[in-house]
Amino acid sequence: KLDPQVYLTAMFTEWEDLDLINGRMHIYFGDDYVGESQLHLDFVKDTLAISLGPDPNVLVRRKRTLREDKVGAFTGKQEFNREYTFTVVNRKQADVTLQVEDQLPLVRTEEISIDRLKLDGAHVHEASGKVVWDLEIKAGEQVERILKYVIQSPRELMVLAD
């Protein structure tokens, strides 16, 4: 939702054997200069992660496929039905492993409820509402994931539904 780009991250294990030191680094990916960054090893544990910038060969699209607001005939509650379809396209010659993240709305009162109708294999971090799909996509493949939920609230409460 915030950024449709896919970012490459290099993950190094056994990085201690490389005799690296803190300082400025110039990052190249293949023959392309990606940019500059600072290497800080003070808080790195077993895996060193270095960002390599956006990857134009992996595309992610988020499209709202359902927006239905109504008042329940029997309950008298407002209902906000939302569905989003995420399409991930791997245009690379190699398989990719990636995470797609979104978020469920957060509720601050017990009068409002969120029913998760479809998570399509995603994991949800309960405290933040973060929804995460761990995907492995083969070269040239396209996959879709769906996030669907309904928010129910009393009519008198104002709800900001996307």
Side-chain angles (χ1 to χ4, degrees):
K1 177 177 178 177
L2 295 178
D3 191 347
Q5 294 189 72
V6 175
Y7 291 89
L8 291 167
T9 304
M11 308 293 275
F12 296 94
T13 56
E14 301 178 11
W15 58 272
E16 300 90 349
D17 300 338
L18 300 174
D19 292 326
L20 299 173
I21 58 173
N22 290 330
R24 185 170 38 178
M25 59 182 173
H26 299 274
I27 303 171
Y28 289 84
F29 182 63
D31 293 334
D32 298 326
Y33 176 71
V34 175
E36 276 185 32
S37 186
Q38 289 286 70
L39 183 60
H40 298 285
L41 301 171
D42 302 330
F43 301 105
V44 178
K45 297 203 186 241
D46 60 343
T47 303
L48 173 64
I50 297 177
S51 175
L52 300 176
D55 185 347
N57 292 313
V58 180
L59 307 173
V60 178
R61 286 186 297 266
R62 176 186 191 262
K63 181 178 180 185
R64 183 173 50 214
T65 50
L66 174 67
R67 179 184 178 151
E68 185 178 272
D69 300 344
K70 61 184 178 181
V71 176
F74 299 109
T75 64
K77 290 188 171 189
Q78 300 179 90
E79 292 184 3
F80 304 93
N81 290 289
R82 298 293 184 267
E83 179 181 278
Y84 298 91
T85 300
F86 298 83
T87 305
V88 183
V89 180
N90 179 8
R91 297 190 310 193
K92 297 171 90 65
Q93 298 293 322
D95 299 353
V96 295
T97 301
L98 67 122
Q99 286 187 332
V100 175
E101 298 179 359
D102 205 279
Q103 183 177 2
L104 289 166
L106 297 176
V107 176
R108 293 190 171 92
T109 176
E110 291 182 10
E111 295 177 276
I112 299 174
S113 67
I114 298 179
D115 293 327
R116 302 168 185 175
L117 302 179
K118 187 166 187 174
L119 295 174
D120 222 0
H123 304 286
V124 178
H125 183 263
E126 296 300 329
S128 67
K130 185 160 88 168
V131 178
V132 179
W133 287 274
D134 291 311
L135 303 175
E136 291 187 28
I137 304 175
K138 300 207 178 298
E141 188 177 63
Q142 173 178 313
V143 298
E144 286 188 351
R145 294 293 182 264
I146 294 175
L147 172 63
K148 185 175 183 179
Y149 58 88
V150 61
I151 304 169
Q152 293 183 338
S153 76
R155 272 195 248 191
E156 60 274 6
L157 288 180
M158 188 170 92
V159 174
L160 298 174
D162 182 39

